[in-house]
Amino acid sequence: PSLPAGWSAEKDFKAVGTVSAPTQRNLEPVGPHFLAHARRKRHHRTFSEDERI
Amino acid sequence: MSSETNGTAERFAIGISFGNSSSSIARLNAEGKAEVIANEEGDRQIPSVLSYIDGEEYHGTQAKAQLIRNSKNTVAYFRDYLGKDFKSIDATPCHNSAHPQQSDSTVAFSINDTTDETPNTVTVSEITTRHLRRLKQSASDFLGKQVNAAVITVPTDFKDAQREALIASANAAGLEVLQLIHEPVAAVLAYDARPEAVVTDKLVVVADLGGTRSDAAVVACRGGMYTTLATAHDYELGGATLDKIVVDHFAKEFMKKHKTDPRENARGLAKLKLEGEATRKALSLGTNATLSIESLADGIDYGSTVNRTRYELLSGKVFAQFTGLIDQVVKKADLDVLDIDEVIFSGGTSHTPKIAQLARNIFPEKTNILAPSTFIGAINPSELAPRGAAIQASLIQEFEKEDIEQSIHPMVTATPHLQNAIGVEFTSGETVDFKSLLTAETALPARRLAQFPAPKEGGDVFIRVCEGVREIKVTKPEPKPKEEKPAKTEDDEDDSDFDSDEDEEEEETREIVWKTEKPIAELAVKGVKAGSKVELMVHVNADLGLQITAKEVGGQSAVRGVVEAPKA
């Protein structure tokens, strides 16, 4: 969509809300993507840090 | 590897699916594809049966054949007794084999498993160990290497005591249990590990139709990670229910000719059950099947045929129970059939063509029904669980035990999941459209990247990131005016048959519509060239903070922003 007239924000970004509360669920500890997730979580890495290794 | 385990540390792991009716073993082959291993008799679905004659142990199909002549010393359908209290078990499936008995706090069988005259009391744990030892041996013989570890599939409702008992039994059989994984998730993994499969966000229903029980589960796949949203179980429904229909059909036919009921004689019933099952399985492949039994009752041989149409007619009610279970699990997950992207049919009874066809009618056309009769690329439903287990085994067999334990620890698996979808709102004139980027039930942290076309004329682009909720819009077509019929009331619904085609005309159309609930952030990308695309990346942290980046595809400068996590 096009920029509405009169819209402006610092550095062109404006936070206007927050995400609804999450539901706590259990992941199934299966599959390559989970193992990658577990690795990140245990070493407190972010996605991009993990990719570099 | 740790220094204490000098040399013997090397693991050789397989995947095992351990069922009440049958078990399978699988391993990744040289090309990295999961392959189910046949035992020395050539069976890939190995009956979970053990039988003893003169101290000799029979296993699998050979043991199953002993149900006729040696039923007292034959143990079958024991998986669900493992780790359970005697009072809590249902002994019905064991009616025609060795009966379960109470032994201290556990379940046991009294069988002549040695050459001695007196029977021994063998616990269900010991039976499981013997069964797993045979499976391990078959796999070792086939692979030419000593198998010493395994990933075993279990139902989703397996209690901790059952898990512990299974691990203890496996250890006693010389198998290190790397992990116990859930049967439905193994089935999803078996499909997702195919080279042609693409990782997508999807909702999958797994219908695991077994021999003596059936289970259904709704699994959310988000970025290749799985979360079980709901499960449903039926402990009385399965292939055995269908076998009974076949058995009753032939028994009645036999009675008409010979005036005796073969079901009243234990051996006659055992023969009918064994052959009836084979006939039922044949009807999944062909449209006609024969049954022939020597000396069924009173020394009379019996032979007959049945066609699939007849069988499907007799089994209509039972088929409806299977689809009812699928319906039930979708409702339990607070979902609609429209939300489901895939239905995976797993378990031996899923070979039945009619069940998949009935499921086809429940779900919308876009839903993929993965069963042999509805999908050409379908994997053999009997092989899904063992294949999934084999894939998982290959992924973790190099890990150290501590690593596996830490990874599957609840600290890691308990993860916040998005309640609502996060996406982008498109406004064009009056209509507001929502494209979801991260779907609901996505495990956090997560990130998604998407490209959206910029307006044709180019210029400045405005992006509004919102939360979205899916709703089901029911549109009723305009009722056709009919003078001769007054407005129908609810009581009229069952009154006449010729109403039915009129009902069809009035059938409502149901579709998913997205509603934007709550704006999260607004961004502007300025000076976008005409006809180009805007790339948007949304990263959601575990604490619900957001990082959003937007830029023109191929462009240099990006707009970045951070949305703070909500305060608790």
Side-chain angles (χ1 to χ4, degrees):
Chain A
S2 296
L3 191 68
W7 187 90
S8 72
E10 198 186 328
K11 284 181 185 168
D12 293 337
F13 182 89
K14 189 158 75 181
V16 289
T18 52
V19 181
S20 300
T23 36
Q24 200 71 23
R25 291 184 187 276
N26 277 325
L27 275 171
E28 294 286 347
V30 172
H33 295 89
F34 170 80
L35 294 172
H37 164 82
R39 195 174 61 226
R40 284 192 297 268
K41 195 154 177 174
R42 281 170 49 209
H43 302 303
H44 304 287
R45 286 189 205 138
T46 63
F47 282 101
S48 34
E49 279 166 10
D50 196 53
E51 274 162 11
R52 258 180 264 134
I53 293 165
Chain B
M1 290 276 148
S2 57
S3 52
E4 306 126 320
T5 48
N6 42 49
T8 53
E10 201 183 332
R11 278 203 201 105
F12 194 61
I14 55 166
I16 298 179
S17 86
F18 173 30
N20 279 310
S21 310
S22 71
S23 301
S24 289
I25 40 184
R27 166 88 192 155
L28 256 61
N29 64 16
E31 291 103 70
K33 275 182 78 181
E35 201 175 54
V36 175
I37 300 165
N39 70 356
E40 51 286 357
E41 288 170 78
D43 292 319
R44 287 190 167 75
Q45 281 74 56
I46 304 159
S48 303
V49 187
L50 285 165
S51 183
Y52 297 88
I53 308 172
D54 299 329
E56 202 174 333
E57 183 181 75
Y58 293 84
H59 180 244
T61 305
Q62 285 189 4
K64 198 173 179 180
Q66 299 296 330
L67 281 171
I68 296 168
R69 290 171 180 279
N70 186 27
S71 61
K72 280 204 182 91
N73 295 317
T74 304
V75 186
Y77 306 108
F78 53 85
R79 201 263 325 255
D80 279 356
Y81 300 156
L82 199 60
K84 274 201 170 170
D85 186 39
F86 181 74
K87 287 184 196 84
S88 64
I89 64 163
D90 172 19
T92 329
C94 290
H95 235 70
N96 303 301
S97 57
H99 294 265
Q101 295 168 346
Q102 182 157 11
S103 157
D104 300 326
S105 62
T106 164
V107 180
F109 299 90
S110 176
I111 46 172
N112 281 313
D113 62 341
T114 57
T115 40
D116 289 350
E117 291 286 297
T118 47
N120 284 326
T121 304
V122 185
T123 61
V124 66
S125 296
E126 172 62 19
I127 291 288
T128 306
T129 300
R130 292 179 188 178
H131 172 60
L132 292 173
R133 198 179 283 142
R134 296 292 296 250
L135 291 178
K136 174 193 162 190
Q137 195 54 47
S138 297
S140 298
D141 289 349
F142 181 87
L143 298 163
K145 225 174 157 184
Q146 196 59 33
V147 172
N148 55 14
V151 169
I152 307 179
T153 61
V154 293
T156 49
D157 62 343
F158 235 45
K159 303 271 186 304
D160 285 343
Q162 291 172 281
R163 288 169 205 265
E164 279 159 27
L166 176 55
I167 291 171
S169 292
N171 289 343
L175 283 170
E176 181 193 355
V177 179
L178 301 180
Q179 194 186 352
L180 297 179
I181 65 171
H182 287 148
E183 285 166 352
V185 185
V188 180
L189 186 62
Y191 269 107
D192 279 357
R194 292 173 306 159
E196 66 266 35
V198 226
V199 173
T200 49
D201 289 359
K202 60 190 176 185
L203 281 170
V204 183
V205 172
V206 183
D208 183 358
L209 315 179
T212 53
R213 58 180 277 181
S214 291
D215 305 275
V218 180
V219 180
C221 304
R222 304 290 184 233
M225 291 200 277
Y226 310 115
T227 309
T228 304
L229 301 182
T231 58
H233 312 277
D234 191 323
Y235 302 104
E236 261 132 49
L237 184 66
T241 326
L242 294 168
D243 292 343
K244 190 167 182 307
I245 292 168
V246 176
V247 165
D248 287 346
H249 166 75
F250 284 123
K252 275 177 200 150
E253 217 178 76
F254 185 86
M255 278 162 74
K256 256 185 230 160
K257 278 189 197 146
H258 305 289
K259 310 282 177 233
T260 47
D261 189 344
R263 290 169 294 184
E264 276 166 15
N265 169 318
R267 193 172 283 188
L269 181 63
K271 281 181 182 174
L272 258 179
K273 274 197 168 167
L274 208 63
E275 292 302 319
E277 187 185 335
T279 308
R280 196 245 316 157
K281 285 180 177 165
L283 283 170
S284 295
L285 299 170
T287 49
N288 250 302
T290 56
L291 171 123
S292 71
I293 300 170
E294 262 177 57
S295 173
L296 175 54
D298 302 342
I300 306 165
D301 292 351
Y302 175 70
S304 181
T305 61
V306 63
N307 65 32
R308 194 189 276 174
T309 320
R310 182 72 197 266
Y311 160 69
E312 285 174 353
L313 212 65
L314 291 166
S315 312
K317 267 191 189 154
V318 180
F319 289 159
Q321 283 177 276
F322 284 112
T323 51
L325 187 69
I326 295 171
D327 233 13
Q328 188 193 332
V329 80
V330 174
K331 288 208 176 76
K332 219 168 146 184
D334 269 329
L335 293 168
D336 191 274
V337 288
L338 292 172
D339 295 316
I340 306 299
D341 302 294
E342 253 174 41
V343 181
I344 293 178
F345 273 97
S346 159
T349 307
S350 295
H351 287 281
T352 315
K354 189 75 179 174
I355 298 176
Q357 283 156 20
L358 289 170
R360 174 79 278 168
N361 297 339
I362 300 176
F363 289 94
E365 243 162 73
K366 68 152 184 78
T367 307
N368 296 320
I369 310 281
L370 306 182
S373 64
T374 51
F375 175 58
I376 298 166
I379 300 173
N380 181 343
S382 306
E383 297 190 347
L384 287 169
R387 282 187 188 209
I391 294 159
Q392 181 69 7
S394 80
L395 288 172
I396 61 173
Q397 73 166 339
E398 305 294 330
F399 287 24
E400 279 173 40
K401 192 155 185 67
E402 204 179 306
D403 269 0
I404 301 171
E405 269 164 18
Q406 276 180 19
S407 296
I408 63 178
H409 192 271
M411 283 283 282
V412 176
T413 57
T415 311
H417 286 60
L418 280 182
Q419 192 187 354
N420 294 324
I422 294 175
V424 180
E425 189 182 70
F426 289 88
T427 328
S428 52
E430 286 287 288
T431 53
V432 177
D433 206 12
F434 177 82
K435 285 248 163 61
S436 95
L437 198 56
L438 286 126
T439 41
E441 308 296 357
T442 299
L444 301 177
R447 67 171 172 187
R448 292 289 185 278
L449 200 73
Q451 294 186 350
F452 300 103
K456 278 199 186 70
E457 66 278 11
D460 296 346
V461 175
F462 176 63
I463 300 166
R464 204 171 137 94
V465 178
C466 296
E467 254 188 14
V469 177
R470 80 106 179 84
E471 281 175 353
I472 287 167
K473 192 168 114 194
V474 182
T475 342
K476 280 191 183 162
E478 292 288 306
K480 285 178 188 142
K482 277 197 175 174
E483 277 94 59
E484 69 265 48
K485 282 222 172 130
K488 282 202 290 177
T489 59
E490 297 233 332
D491 306 296
D492 286 340
E493 267 184 9
D494 51 349
D495 66 353
S496 58
D497 281 333
F498 47 84
D499 267 354
S500 58
D501 47 3
E502 185 199 21
D503 283 342
E504 241 160 70
E505 279 173 37
E506 283 180 19
E507 201 182 334
E508 54 198 27
T509 51
R510 304 168 75 247
E511 57 181 338
I512 288 179
V513 289
W514 286 91
K515 218 183 79 186
T516 47
E517 280 257 296
K518 173 161 143 187
I520 295 166
E522 294 174 339
L523 294 90
V525 182
K526 286 177 178 160
V528 177
K529 281 193 252 14
S532 88
K533 284 176 175 170
V534 172
E535 190 177 76
L536 178 73
M537 193 183 85
V538 178
H539 182 125
V540 188
N541 299 334
D543 65 357
L544 290 179
L546 264 77
Q547 287 138 35
I548 304 171
T549 311
K551 64 170 193 176
E552 183 186 351
V553 173
Q556 290 298 317
S557 61
V559 182
R560 284 173 220 278
V562 174
V563 177
E564 292 293 314
K567 285 170 191 75

